Amino acid sequence: MPPELPTRKTSRLLRIGLVATVVLLVGAAWWTLQREVPATSTPKPAFVGGANCVSCHAGQAQAWRGSHHDLAMQEASDAAVLGDFDNAKFTQGGITTTFFRRDGHHLVNTDGPDGKLADFEIRYTFGFQPIQQYLIEFPDGRLQALGVAWDARPKGEGGQRWFHLYPNEKLRAGDRLHWTGIDQNWNYQCAGCHSTNLRKNYDANTDRFKTSWTDMDVNCESCHGPGSNHVAWARQTDGWQRFSGAGKGLPVALDERRGATWTIDPASGNAVRSVPRTSRREIETCGVCHARRGQFADEGIHGRPLGDTHQVATLQPDLYFPDGQMRDEVYNHGSFLESRMNAHGVTCSDCHEPHSQKLVVPGNGVCTQCHLATRYDAATHHHHPTGSKAAECATCHMPVRRFMVIDPRHDHSMRIPRPDRAAAMGVPEPCTECHRDRNAAWAAAAIGSWGGRKPEGFQRFAEAFHADDRRDADAPARLRAVVADRTQSAIARASAVERLGRWPTPTVGETLVAALNDDDPLVRAAATRALQETDAPNAVAALAYRLRDPVREVRMGAARALAGVRERELPADKRSAFASALDELVAALRFDADRPEGRTNLGSLFAARGQGEQALVELRRALALDPDYVPATVNLADVLRASGDDAGAEVVLRAGLQRSPGAASLHHALGLTLVRQQRKADALIELRRAADIEPGNVRFSYILALALHDRGDTAKAVQVLERIAARIPDRAVLQALVEFEQRLGHTASAARWTERLQMSIDEH
């Protein structure tokens, strides 16, 4: 699987500060083993290498050999390298990159970290189909992924060529997307999912990596966990009798499908699982790498919930369309979680052979395992010529989106096409991908005519998320309805919870506090993040209870939400739990000390705790890692301001604007700093620039309006607020409009805005 391709967008995931496997040790067989053998007498399993598995599991090893997991990463040998290294040249942005061989090694001549052309040895290959990238090693332990990659597809499909992963960018050394930049660093971005038993081993004091792994690919122990105890049982060594119970010494039992069968109901044409799926072990094992997620630990991940080591991205607007279709490169885990298949008990290996990663049955056969072929693999269902591409189930129900320029990925939400939503919301739909001379309205009418009614589908949150994206007045009520609907997927409900954090009203606060007690950790974790943005009644007591949550991500989220609370405000019996969860949070943030996001989040945590000097250290280190990282600049200025150093804050912000003149948040922060220095004319210029750059940002326009009013220009303040209120019925904006219109003597306008304000309160 190719690595996640970074973009210029700020990291969407909370990197607890924001591919190998993880699972829940909750199977009955495992607990039977634990009862038979006291935990104190069972040695901690260690990684022994995949080669130790082959002699007993030859069939599985044969299926795995040559797979994407097997070839995830290789040393750069003639057999492994697929690209043309016969002095091939590729030019982009004025830089000509040359690929060649010398003394049996593969090399590239391209612009290095100093911007000058130089020769670099290819140390490893990275992936193999449809893209192969190449890794270059630096003396500080960094491995960097070259931006020019090899298109491994056949020539007839447009492949067998060099191409750039950022074809529209003119990248130079110092840019975070340049191949030598921080966002092309293998140790952070890619390593854990392309090797087994990966330890990042970043030394924050020396800014060096000593990254290690057991195997340079994704093999048996990536999914089944460290195998020393299982090998001892198999070879009858080292007290092997202790492992003779269920599990045979393996940390993870991937046996959720054992004894389960699917039987098709002739009436519906759909299959029913013989026994309910009662755990998520297999899905979370795959999710470690096949999810868009942030990692905050890399030790001891096997046999624990996914939320103990990773934060899975919710259906955020920059990652997913409002109907849940993938927008950015999200892999498949999040999409699958929102599917009807997941809700009915399907696991990854129902469709994919886990060792070869191929479909268990080719083509439509993989679907007709559970969906009656005579009903669904028929022209009466798909309304296209039998045997055509359009008649393939995946074409309509799992449409592809192309990432990394040439890599098509199927959306695993497995949805019923909804062209009507495409027409209303601008989301993708598969019909007009083929019928390019038609529009979504035509497609909606066609599908409606097939069944005599508009199809609904399983994912029913699109209207709520679309309303939230538009900041419609009824968005909070719609989002609360999604949270309350237990038939919705957990990831959809968690996404609604997270979005509600942007609507700080009493009713929303009640919903968020209640979500802390949800039975799904995705929802609980989202609630802790949303409550960081609001001041809900009873939130402190509810968050304090979550400090002992069984899932680490939730505990850390609760600690972060409570970071600004003084210990004496916490229940006495929760103070030690707060200290413990806070330690976990700090450790998680330090895990990402090689990233400006991690450093910035750690600095923000210290600032919330009143530890100003430590906050300054971390924020300055964040900028040392990436001087262009705007959140670090804004937060550093804020900490300086809090210490009374407004002049120092101004220096930091102006330096940031020299590097990023289009950053609205920097202009806004500078405006506030100048206000505090009583330089109101200069402040107004910066506040206006921020609002002009991001006209949809409510806070920027609201603060600009207050500044205009303070200067005596209330009429212009009203104009600014009216532009926002016309699109987003923000309560603070409406309250300001009422007050300003009253001061101007505009009685009718004030009454109209008062009515709008009351409607907003009633709807919330």
Side-chain angles (χ1 to χ4, degrees):
M1 182 182 68
E4 176 183 318
L5 191 65
T7 69
R8 290 198 180 278
K9 298 175 185 175
T10 302
S11 174
R12 277 79 55 181
L13 296 186
L14 173 68
R15 293 187 180 275
I16 310 291
L18 329 147
V19 245
T21 33
V22 79
V23 274
L24 282 170
L25 290 181
V26 295
W30 171 255
W31 291 116
T32 300
L33 176 59
Q34 290 292 78
R35 288 196 298 270
E36 292 174 357
V37 183
T40 54
S41 66
T42 303
K44 182 179 179 180
F47 285 87
V48 295
N52 281 284
C53 308
V54 176
S55 60
C56 293
H57 302 282
Q60 290 85 350
Q62 181 60 35
W64 166 83
R65 199 163 289 117
S67 69
H68 282 268
H69 284 179
D70 176 24
L71 304 179
M73 186 171 162
Q74 304 172 81
E75 291 194 6
S77 65
D78 286 340
V81 171
L82 302 178
D84 180 1
F85 277 78
D86 291 333
N87 292 311
K89 297 182 183 297
F90 178 86
T91 300
Q92 177 171 304
I95 302 294
T96 296
T97 299
T98 305
F99 299 87
F100 62 101
R101 292 182 179 86
R102 184 170 63 207
D103 300 329
H105 298 283
H106 295 79
L107 294 98
V108 59
N109 179 270
T110 193
D111 57 328
D114 58 0
K116 298 177 181 178
L117 292 176
D119 294 346
F120 300 93
E121 182 180 355
I122 303 299
R123 185 75 175 86
Y124 301 102
T125 66
F126 195 58
F128 79 110
Q129 285 290 342
I131 299 165
Q132 187 171 75
Q133 286 185 265
Y134 299 96
L135 302 178
I136 293 168
E137 190 170 23
F138 284 84
D140 60 3
R142 283 174 168 79
L143 285 170
Q144 297 291 131
L146 202 63
V148 182
W150 180 251
D151 184 340
R153 297 174 301 170
K155 196 165 187 176
E157 297 177 14
Q160 300 303 297
R161 64 186 177 100
W162 293 104
F163 72 104
H164 205 288
L165 293 167
Y166 299 94
N168 300 318
E169 299 277 359
K170 191 174 182 179
L171 300 175
R172 292 289 183 267
D175 192 301
R176 64 188 299 156
L177 293 181
H178 187 264
W179 76 270
T180 60
I182 193 168
D183 276 351
Q184 305 302 323
N185 173 242
W186 167 89
N187 310 70
Y188 168 80
Q189 293 280 9
C190 327
C193 291
H194 284 255
S195 51
T196 299
N197 188 28
L198 192 284
R199 297 292 180 263
K200 183 168 65 170
N201 294 336
Y202 173 72
D203 187 330
N205 295 319
T206 62
D207 190 27
R208 298 175 68 88
F209 290 92
K210 293 183 179 178
T211 303
S212 65
W213 57 83
T214 304
D215 286 291
M216 192 195 306
D217 53 29
V218 180
N219 65 28
C220 315
E221 291 178 296
S222 291
C223 302
H224 296 283
S228 61
N229 291 345
H230 182 63
V231 170
W233 168 81
R235 297 177 179 172
Q236 299 189 5
T237 59
D238 300 329
W240 64 274
Q241 295 90 344
R242 289 173 295 180
F243 315 120
S244 59
K248 302 298 187 288
L250 280 176
V252 178
L254 297 175
D255 58 359
E256 290 162 301
R257 294 179 65 238
R258 185 172 299 165
T261 58
W262 291 90
T263 303
I264 296 179
D265 172 17
S268 68
N270 299 314
V272 177
R273 204 176 195 264
S274 59
V275 291
R277 194 190 73 215
T278 57
S279 83
R280 59 184 87 186
R281 288 194 304 275
E282 181 183 313
I283 292 172
E284 292 205 344
T285 292
C286 300
V288 168
C289 294
H290 293 278
R292 182 66 175 261
R293 80 288 185 274
Q295 185 174 356
F296 49 81
D298 64 7
E299 294 185 1
I301 65 173
H302 293 87
R304 292 160 58 184
L306 184 53
D308 271 359
T309 49
H310 297 76
Q311 179 186 314
V312 174
T314 56
L315 309 180
Q316 301 166 12
D318 51 352
L319 299 182
Y320 295 85
F321 289 97
D323 65 344
Q325 291 188 74
M326 58 187 185
R327 184 195 298 267
D328 202 9
E329 190 172 7
V330 297
Y331 309 116
N332 299 323
H333 180 75
S335 298
F336 181 72
L337 290 185
E338 56 173 291
S339 72
R340 188 191 301 271
M341 309 306 157
N342 174 51
H344 284 241
V346 173
T347 67
C348 308
S349 61
D350 278 311
C351 302
H352 298 274
E353 201 289 318
H355 302 98
S356 69
Q357 296 101 60
K358 297 177 181 178
L359 292 176
V360 295
V361 184
N364 286 355
V366 73
C367 301
T368 56
Q369 293 181 107
C370 291
H371 302 285
L372 192 64
T374 54
R375 174 174 294 190
Y376 293 106
D377 194 9
T380 52
H381 174 72
H382 53 64
H383 296 270
H384 289 88
T386 300
S388 67
K389 185 72 177 175
E392 293 179 8
C393 306
T395 299
C396 296
H397 298 289
M398 301 179 67
V400 299
R401 199 164 169 82
R402 203 168 292 273
F403 301 107
M404 300 181 77
V405 183
I406 65 168
D407 188 12
R409 309 274 181 89
H410 283 281
D411 190 310
H412 276 58
S413 55
M414 290 172 271
R415 62 186 57 245
I416 291 174
R418 290 287 304 270
D420 58 308
R421 282 178 173 164
M425 305 177 190
V427 301
E429 53 84 18
C431 302
T432 54
E433 283 296 306
C434 294
H435 299 278
R436 294 184 179 274
D437 59 333
R438 304 285 192 163
N439 60 27
W442 165 84
I447 290 180
S449 69
W450 295 347
R453 59 182 176 82
K454 183 177 73 174
E456 183 181 53
F458 185 72
Q459 297 85 3
R460 301 182 307 283
F461 49 80
E463 288 72 21
F465 289 4
H466 183 57
D468 178 60
D469 290 344
R470 298 181 356 151
R471 299 291 285 174
D472 290 347
D474 64 345
R478 287 176 176 268
L479 292 172
R480 292 201 314 272
V482 173
V483 177
D485 184 356
R486 306 294 297 188
T487 66
Q488 298 266 17
S489 63
I491 195 169
R493 296 174 57 245
S495 304
V497 165
E498 200 159 44
R499 286 167 173 265
L500 280 169
R502 301 192 302 165
W503 300 87
T505 68
T507 306
V508 164
E510 293 172 6
T511 299
L512 297 181
V513 169
L516 288 172
N517 293 318
D518 197 87
D519 57 2
D520 195 286
L522 276 176
V523 179
R524 299 198 301 274
T528 66
R529 294 192 293 273
L531 284 166
Q532 293 177 31
E533 310 298 327
T534 187
D535 186 22
N538 306 317
V540 170
L543 285 163
Y545 182 76
R546 283 294 138 213
L547 293 168
R548 291 196 174 97
D549 195 275
V551 177
R552 186 182 182 192
E553 180 192 356
V554 181
R555 296 194 299 271
M556 294 191 305
R560 182 62 187 90
L562 293 169
V565 175
R566 291 169 295 186
E567 271 79 355
R568 65 174 178 270
E569 297 176 41
L570 293 172
D573 63 339
K574 299 296 190 297
R575 292 170 190 170
S576 63
F578 174 69
S580 177
L582 194 63
D583 286 345
E584 288 185 305
L585 176 59
V586 171
L589 294 174
R590 292 201 184 282
F591 177 80
D592 270 347
D594 56 317
R595 297 290 301 181
E597 302 94 338
R599 293 284 196 178
T600 299
N601 285 326
L602 186 56
S604 299
L605 175 65
F606 285 143
R609 300 291 298 151
Q611 299 166 285
E613 289 302 316
Q614 288 175 270
L616 290 173
V617 168
E618 295 301 329
L619 292 166
R620 285 176 173 139
R621 286 180 177 173
L623 287 173
L625 288 171
D626 184 1
D628 295 331
Y629 191 58
V630 170
T633 302
V634 172
N635 288 0
L636 175 58
D638 194 53
V639 174
L640 289 169
R641 186 271 312 160
S643 68
D645 188 3
D646 280 318
E650 181 182 353
V651 169
V652 166
L653 291 168
R654 290 197 184 279
L657 282 167
Q658 283 189 331
R659 301 185 66 92
S660 305
S665 58
L666 292 179
H667 286 289
H668 182 74
L670 178 57
L672 295 178
T673 297
L674 294 172
V675 167
R676 286 187 290 269
Q677 296 180 55
Q678 298 301 309
R679 295 158 59 186
K680 295 184 179 180
D682 292 338
L684 196 58
I685 293 172
E686 298 301 328
L687 294 174
R688 194 186 302 278
R689 284 176 180 166
D692 288 344
I693 293 170
E694 291 189 15
N697 189 303
V698 175
R699 174 174 169 76
F700 291 172
S701 292
Y702 177 69
I703 297 298
L704 171 62
L706 295 184
L708 287 165
H709 170 68
D710 185 61
R711 196 182 68 168
D713 203 343
T714 303
K716 284 189 177 179
V718 167
Q719 291 176 4
V720 170
L721 294 174
E722 283 180 335
R723 285 196 296 270
I724 288 292
R727 295 181 294 109
I728 304 170
D730 182 84
R731 186 174 300 180
V733 169
L734 295 174
Q735 288 173 331
L737 276 168
V738 171
E739 180 181 342
F740 291 173
E741 292 283 38
Q742 287 174 340
R743 292 192 179 190
L744 290 170
H746 299 163
T747 306
S749 295
R752 187 177 73 253
W753 291 119
T754 299
E755 184 178 353
R756 284 279 306 276
L757 175 60
Q758 188 58 51
M759 287 173 59
S760 174
I761 293 171
D762 292 343
E763 288 170 348
H764 291 183

